[in-house]
Amino acid sequence: PVALFKGRQALGCEPLQALWKTANAKALSRFDSLTRTLGLRVYAVDGSWLNLPHAQALVDAFGRPSAASGKTPMPQLLLVTMDLVNLGWFTDLRLGRCNHSELALAREMTDSLGKGDLVLGDRLFFQTSWIAALVRRGVEALLRAAKNRITSLTAESIVAVERQRRGGGVIDCEVELKVATDHHGKPTSLLPLRYIEITINGETYCFL
């Protein structure tokens, strides 16, 4: 990792980005039919934190996480990828410091998506402005959400969800998400979405 990092510092990112762009173009043209489900090209965004060897260059570039045990932690980088689900191919990625925003890096990558694309995101990728920006560009989205995200819906939508919860089984209803609110907490911008809750073996999975 140290040698790779120093090579990237010396050469810059442009040669790697040019190579990746060429590889992406070939992959998408050759396997386009495999990337699609129900006519939509399916992407997933996700991130992970990777430990690196102890080296000052890596500490300076990526930082160290906070130490809870009193020991000095290893340098750690944040890696966020956007990959084509059906190919297992990273179409884009971002590296960041260990305390960087995972969602901010994902937003930067998904800015390239538009009509005909479907993006999958996990619970950490919940941000109303990002969801609204995807929808405005015609991107389809399937986002897993924490159960308490129901509080981001309008009062009428919460009532509709609670009514279905009392009935048991799968919850599936149209809702409105509060994208923006005024200083009184009243919604100033709403986004219509489909809300789904499924309980499997006692664990509840929520999707927007």
Side-chain angles (χ1 to χ4, degrees), residues 155-174:
E156 294 80 6
S157 297
I158 293 173
V159 169
V161 172
E162 293 291 358
R163 185 184 301 119
Q164 288 200 11
R165 280 179 178 170
R166 288 194 294 272
V170 174
I171 295 162
D172 187 347
C173 57
E174 298 297 320

Side-chain angles (χ1 to χ4, degrees), residues 57 97 112 166:
R97 291 181 63 84
S112 63
R166 288 194 294 272

Side-chain angles (χ1 to χ4, degrees), residues 35-57:
T35 70
R36 297 178 183 275
T37 298
L38 301 179
L40 297 171
R41 187 177 285 161
V42 187
Y43 295 89
V45 289
D46 204 1
S48 58
W49 282 262
L50 306 178
N51 288 332
L52 301 171
H54 288 285
Q56 192 57 46

Side-chain angles (χ1 to χ4, degrees), residues 13 15 19 35 39 48 51 57 59 71 91 117-118 122 159 169 180 191 194:
C13 293
L19 181 62
T35 70
S48 58
N51 288 332
V59 174
K71 296 181 179 179
T91 59
D117 294 325
L118 165 65
D122 209 348
V159 169
L191 183 66
R194 182 180 177 188

Side-chain angles (χ1 to χ4, degrees), residues 3-189:
L4 287 172
F5 174 69
K6 288 182 177 179
R8 186 167 72 96
Q9 277 188 316
L11 296 173
C13 293
E14 289 77 11
L16 293 174
Q17 289 170 342
L19 181 62
W20 204 321
K21 185 176 181 180
T22 301
N24 273 338
K26 288 187 175 181
L28 292 177
S29 62
R30 186 174 178 185
F31 302 111
D32 185 68
S33 62
L34 297 180
T35 70
R36 297 178 183 275
T37 298
L38 301 179
L40 297 171
R41 187 177 285 161
V42 187
Y43 295 89
V45 289
D46 204 1
S48 58
W49 282 262
L50 306 178
N51 288 332
L52 301 171
H54 288 285
Q56 192 57 46
L58 298 176
V59 174
D60 293 342
F62 302 110
R64 298 182 191 272
S66 301
S69 61
K71 296 181 179 179
T72 301
M74 290 186 256
Q76 196 175 72
L77 69 81
L78 169 61
L79 170 67
V80 181
T81 63
M82 183 170 74
D83 48 308
L84 283 161
V85 172
N86 295 339
L87 289 188
W89 173 274
F90 290 173
T91 59
D92 205 351
L93 65 82
R94 295 290 187 275
L95 302 179
R97 291 181 63 84
C98 63
N99 58 354
H100 203 98
S101 166
E102 190 175 359
L103 178 59
L105 297 181
R107 285 194 70 152
E108 189 177 317
M109 290 187 291
T110 54
D111 280 348
S112 63
L113 302 183
K115 192 171 180 60
D117 294 325
L118 165 65
V119 63
L120 310 177
D122 209 348
R123 287 171 290 187
L124 288 178
F125 291 89
F126 183 90
Q127 185 185 65
T128 57
S129 61
W130 178 57
I131 298 170
L134 290 173
V135 172
R136 279 196 299 269
R137 297 200 308 274
V139 180
E140 301 286 345
L142 176 61
L143 305 173
R144 188 179 170 195
K147 197 171 182 180
N148 62 4
R149 292 298 186 189
I150 189 175
T151 58
S152 299
L153 305 179
T154 61
E156 294 80 6
S157 297
I158 293 173
V159 169
V161 172
E162 293 291 358
R163 185 184 301 119
Q164 288 200 11
R165 280 179 178 170
R166 288 194 294 272
V170 174
I171 295 162
D172 187 347
C173 57
E174 298 297 320
V175 297
E176 288 186 312
L177 178 70
K178 293 184 288 187
V179 176
T181 58
D182 62 19
H183 61 282
H184 296 296
K186 294 181 179 179
T188 58
S189 177

